[in-house]
Amino acid sequence: MLPHAALLIIASSLVLLGALGLTVWTRPTRASDAAVAFGVFALGGVMLLTVVVGALLQLYRPVPLTCGAGVYAGIGLLAGARESARHPRAFRRRLRGWTRRAPRGWAPHPVVFSLALLTAFVYGLRAWLGVRLPPSDWDGLMYHLVAPSAWLQAGEVGRATEVIWADAYPMGVESLAGWPMVFLGATDLGVLFLLPGYAIAGAAVVALARRLGMGRAPALLAGLAFLLTPSVFAQANTFYVDVHSAAFGLAALAVLASVRGDAELSGRPAQVVSRKMLVLGFALGAATATKSSSLAVMGVAGCAAFVIVACAAGRHRLGVWPFLRGALPLAVPIAVIGGYWYLRTWQHYDNPFYPVTMLGFEGVGDVKDVVLNTNVPLELRDMTLPEQLWASWSQPFTDLRTTQVYDVRLGGLGVAWLTFVLPASILGLLVWLKNSWRRPGVGVLLLLGIGVTYGAALAPWWGRYVLLGYACLVVFAVYLTARLAQGRSLARVAGGGLRLVLAASVALAVWTGHRHVAITSGAPEDQALFLKTGGLPLDRLLAMSVAPQAERRVWPWTEFGALDALPEGTTIAVARGNLQSLIQPLRGIKMQRNLVVVEPPSDTARLAHDLRAAGADHVLIDRSQVWDAVRQDLYEDPSFTFVTDLGGVAPKYNPPPDGKLFRLEAEPDARR
């Protein structure tokens, strides 16, 4: 049998082949459109296989997933071959043209070229840290990695009851992180399989800018400026999903922006519309599988798709045929890739949006109660919304010491937000309205993106929650510089000056965001520096990344070092309702331990019975009330032996869980 690493390479290559075939089939006319379609089909393909093979067929294992990837590749290559047979070498000619013209579009522009090099450096660095050091981001260890780890342990995509977020939230991006985990049994390469989402975001911004009328250089400038935003690059070595949510939403807008132009260039506009609907379906399915907040994006994009298809049908006198032909390609990917996660949660909690109360479904509370109230920084809690906005927007100017951490609550949009993006986007929008109000097109889509982001945002000061709208504003801001560059000498000078302001602003954001990076070790002096600056110096982290057993040096894994003495294959039980904030370290860096969930016990005999029924040999209690009935009795019961203290880690402003690990002894008959 092939090693699992080889199967990972084969399966991933098959998914990419399928994505390439489907991209050829959609007949893109621009390089940025092709990049968006390819990225959406690649990542959406992994999400699709996770649902179909892992959840519906309950075969979340390397060989079945590889076979599923083979089927996906076959479908994609068949579609691409049929398109190539109808239009021999058409895609190849376009690809050669894109490759030949690309350097001429950005190489003569030193600002764009410099930012491209800076972007490559930043994401290369983040990829290195993500691969060489174990995951240390809070939400990743709390639930993003918990779900795929539970699936891997069970051999199917099912429940992950260790923490409510892993069991109830949509888990599309988590399935991308789980793709290498299921083959390798470790989280080492998870970050590498999330980074393509950042490329999709950049490509979608470029595609929207091109459709707005910009040349290659300013369009690429817009994409690079977005990727060098602190709220974006600070997540690149983590398992946070906010960038992916924005990326798939931007991809949906980019697809919609291309429908009219591509339909007019084709002799078969109805066919173009239906194929664009497949890309749109994959993008919206992936978006809704990433975060439930993307449901608003799906609603807006669906309404926009109806209007755009209606305009195309009227312009080309196609009647209702485009609607009938495009409905299935649009609906099926949304239902399978995104809809599955909501149906699963509905089945288990009688609420597809649990734990959030929404649309008449009862949950724990509304979004403000569940997500925001406990996460608002102390310094913002007594402020009005305008005061909160100013405190966040001005933070990059008032605090150059603290690094940009991955959840980026204050100052997440960086210096460029106030120095360039906000004022230039307002002027760019006015210029667009003056010149293009009779032909609204792409500008309206950008306004919809801004509206659905900021209109529904309960915390518009929180950078990572407004990335979709921010990207649309970046496009309008760079549009202003592109229009100035087409004017007379003074206007061209002003446009060049604005581009320099943008470049200097994002370069400053990169510098402040990498003086310290939000990773630390367990050493007391490093912990003190982490509390002061939000991270460790980059040279210290690079030294850690090449040191032997680097995984044993990174916090919070250092807090769980006592578990390393347990035999491989140990199964630890936690109770439903436990207070362990970080679940993933209980499994281990190489997932060498298993984890099960038991109900809160009424006595030690019941606990021993439940542990044996679940196949657990250890149990981890904490200070939560679910353990009150057995807390003291465990020390006296001969069925249990105290192993070690495991204080654990708690969120800011909360006491630690005060964990105690006990071993379940073999039954008397078994000990004989």
Side-chain angles (χ1 to χ4, degrees):
M1 180 174 290
L2 286 171
H4 286 175
L7 283 178
L8 173 62
I9 295 173
I10 293 171
S12 302
S13 300
L14 289 171
V15 171
L16 293 178
L17 284 173
L20 177 61
L22 290 173
T23 302
V24 172
W25 180 75
T26 59
R27 210 182 300 167
T29 58
R30 293 189 175 183
S32 53
D33 295 338
V36 169
F38 178 74
V40 166
F41 283 134
L43 298 193
V46 173
M47 295 182 186
L48 180 68
L49 291 171
T50 300
V51 171
V52 173
V53 179
L56 302 183
L57 300 181
Q58 300 181 345
L59 296 171
Y60 195 65
R61 295 189 290 275
V63 173
L65 286 172
T66 304
C67 294
V71 174
Y72 186 71
I75 294 172
L77 291 176
L78 178 61
R82 286 173 60 86
E83 174 63 23
S84 296
R86 292 194 186 99
H87 306 279
R89 293 187 292 278
F91 184 79
R92 194 178 305 173
R93 286 196 300 271
R94 287 176 183 161
L95 185 61
R96 281 200 301 266
W98 297 333
T99 306
R100 189 168 55 250
R101 290 192 297 269
R104 295 202 299 269
W106 54 266
H109 298 267
V111 170
V112 178
F113 184 72
S114 300
L115 291 185
L117 292 179
L118 184 60
T119 304
F121 168 77
V122 167
Y123 284 89
L125 173 64
R126 295 283 174 165
W128 173 265
L129 294 176
V131 171
R132 293 294 302 173
L133 297 177
S136 60
D137 55 289
W138 188 271
D139 284 7
L141 297 179
M142 185 170 70
Y143 69 93
H144 288 309
L145 288 171
V146 171
S149 298
W151 306 338
L152 176 59
Q153 179 181 323
E156 63 176 279
V157 176
R159 303 293 300 272
T161 53
E162 297 93 332
V163 59
I164 184 64
W165 318 109
D167 198 45
Y169 274 5
M171 291 280 123
V173 173
E174 288 79 358
S175 68
L176 301 179
W179 183 259
M181 288 169 61
V182 73
F183 289 90
L184 304 178
T187 61
D188 298 353
L189 300 183
V191 165
L192 291 185
F193 283 77
L194 298 188
L195 283 176
Y198 294 75
I200 292 175
V205 171
V206 172
L208 288 166
R210 293 283 284 139
R211 293 289 176 181
L212 196 62
M214 293 187 226
R216 295 183 188 88
L220 186 58
L221 178 63
L224 295 173
F226 175 75
L227 291 176
L228 293 176
T229 302
S231 282
V232 178
F233 68 69
Q235 296 187 42
N237 61 308
T238 75
F239 291 88
Y240 277 63
V241 303
D242 306 282
V243 177
H244 295 80
S245 177
F248 293 122
L250 290 167
L253 295 179
V255 173
L256 290 171
S258 68
V259 172
R260 178 180 175 181
D262 286 2
E264 291 180 352
L265 291 174
S266 173
R268 296 181 176 180
Q271 189 180 79
V272 169
V273 169
S274 65
R275 295 182 182 189
K276 293 292 183 182
M277 290 302 105
L278 181 67
V279 189
L280 181 62
F282 265 75
L284 292 177
T288 53
T290 301
K291 295 185 76 169
S292 56
S293 58
S294 295
L295 291 170
V297 177
M298 183 183 70
V300 169
C303 294
F306 181 87
V307 173
I308 290 171
V309 173
C311 290
R315 185 179 184 85
H316 299 280
R317 299 180 182 179
L318 301 173
V320 298
W321 181 234
F323 293 97
L324 299 176
R325 190 166 180 170
L328 203 60
L330 175 63
V332 171
I334 294 175
V336 178
I337 298 174
Y340 164 78
W341 303 106
Y342 298 90
L343 291 174
R344 173 208 62 169
T345 304
W346 197 351
Q347 177 185 1
H348 297 148
Y349 296 98
D350 296 325
N351 176 357
F353 316 110
Y354 194 84
V356 176
T357 298
M358 187 185 298
L359 300 180
F361 292 96
E362 288 296 324
V364 176
D366 60 19
V367 176
K368 187 175 182 180
D369 295 330
V370 174
V371 179
L372 291 182
N373 282 347
T374 58
N375 288 300
V376 177
L378 288 178
E379 58 267 36
L380 297 187
R381 293 186 180 181
D382 295 327
M383 293 183 179
T384 63
L385 179 59
E387 291 173 333
Q388 291 176 334
L389 290 172
W390 179 249
S392 179
W393 293 354
S394 63
Q395 191 268 354
F397 298 90
T398 59
D399 183 6
L400 295 178
R401 181 190 66 182
T402 305
T403 190
Q404 294 292 347
V405 297
Y406 42 78
D407 63 355
V408 201
R409 296 177 187 176
L410 296 182
L413 302 181
V415 174
W417 172 244
L418 287 183
T419 60
F420 176 79
V421 175
L422 181 58
S425 63
I426 295 173
L427 294 176
L429 175 58
L430 294 175
V431 172
W432 172 79
L433 287 172
K434 178 179 180 296
N435 292 281
S436 304
W437 67 273
R438 293 180 184 274
R439 296 176 285 104
V442 182
V444 172
L445 293 175
L446 293 172
L447 289 175
L448 289 175
I450 296 168
V452 76
T453 300
Y454 288 97
L458 295 176
W461 47 266
W462 201 340
R464 70 185 178 99
Y465 284 166
V466 295
L467 290 178
L468 172 61
Y470 173 77
C472 296
L473 288 170
V474 169
V475 174
F476 275 125
V478 178
Y479 175 77
L480 173 66
T481 69
R483 294 291 299 184
L484 288 173
Q486 297 171 359
R488 297 182 179 180
S489 57
L490 186 60
R492 289 199 297 271
V493 171
L498 287 175
R499 287 193 293 273
L500 288 176
V501 169
L502 174 59
S505 299
V506 297
L508 179 61
V510 170
W511 177 70
T512 56
H514 290 86
R515 289 180 64 206
H516 301 88
V517 178
I519 303 172
T520 188
S521 74
E525 61 274 15
D526 288 344
Q527 287 288 329
L529 183 61
F530 181 78
L531 291 174
K532 182 179 180 181
T533 65
L536 293 187
L538 185 56
D539 58 345
R540 174 92 169 88
L541 292 176
L542 291 175
M544 286 174 58
S545 71
V546 297
Q549 294 186 321
E551 67 275 4
R552 297 182 184 274
R553 303 169 183 260
V554 175
W555 185 90
W557 296 91
T558 52
E559 302 293 325
F560 298 85
L563 297 178
D564 292 339
L566 299 179
E568 187 170 342
T570 295
T571 300
I572 301 174
V574 295
R576 195 182 304 275
N578 68 86
L579 286 180
Q580 292 296 326
S581 298
L582 302 184
I583 296 293
Q584 189 64 20
L586 300 178
R587 282 195 163 92
I589 292 172
K590 302 297 181 183
M591 290 189 285
Q592 63 268 33
R593 297 179 289 273
N594 295 322
L595 206 61
V596 296
V597 179
V598 296
E599 296 297 326
S602 56
D603 51 53
T604 56
R606 182 66 189 178
L607 176 60
H609 174 272
D610 290 347
L611 294 180
R612 291 190 175 102
D617 42 47
H618 286 73
V619 60
L620 180 64
I621 71 169
D622 54 42
R623 62 178 176 81
S624 63
Q625 62 183 10
V626 300
W627 294 110
D628 287 350
V630 300
R631 191 183 312 279
Q632 298 302 322
D633 296 340
L634 283 172
Y635 291 94
E636 302 173 1
D637 193 316
S639 297
F640 294 91
T641 301
F642 174 74
V643 177
T644 184
D645 288 311
L646 198 70
V649 180
K652 199 173 183 180
Y653 317 124
N654 290 283
D658 191 23
K660 310 286 183 183
L661 185 69
F662 289 83
R663 180 174 62 249
L664 175 65
E665 300 296 345
E667 295 183 86
D669 291 340
R671 288 201 292 266
R672 295 196 197 102

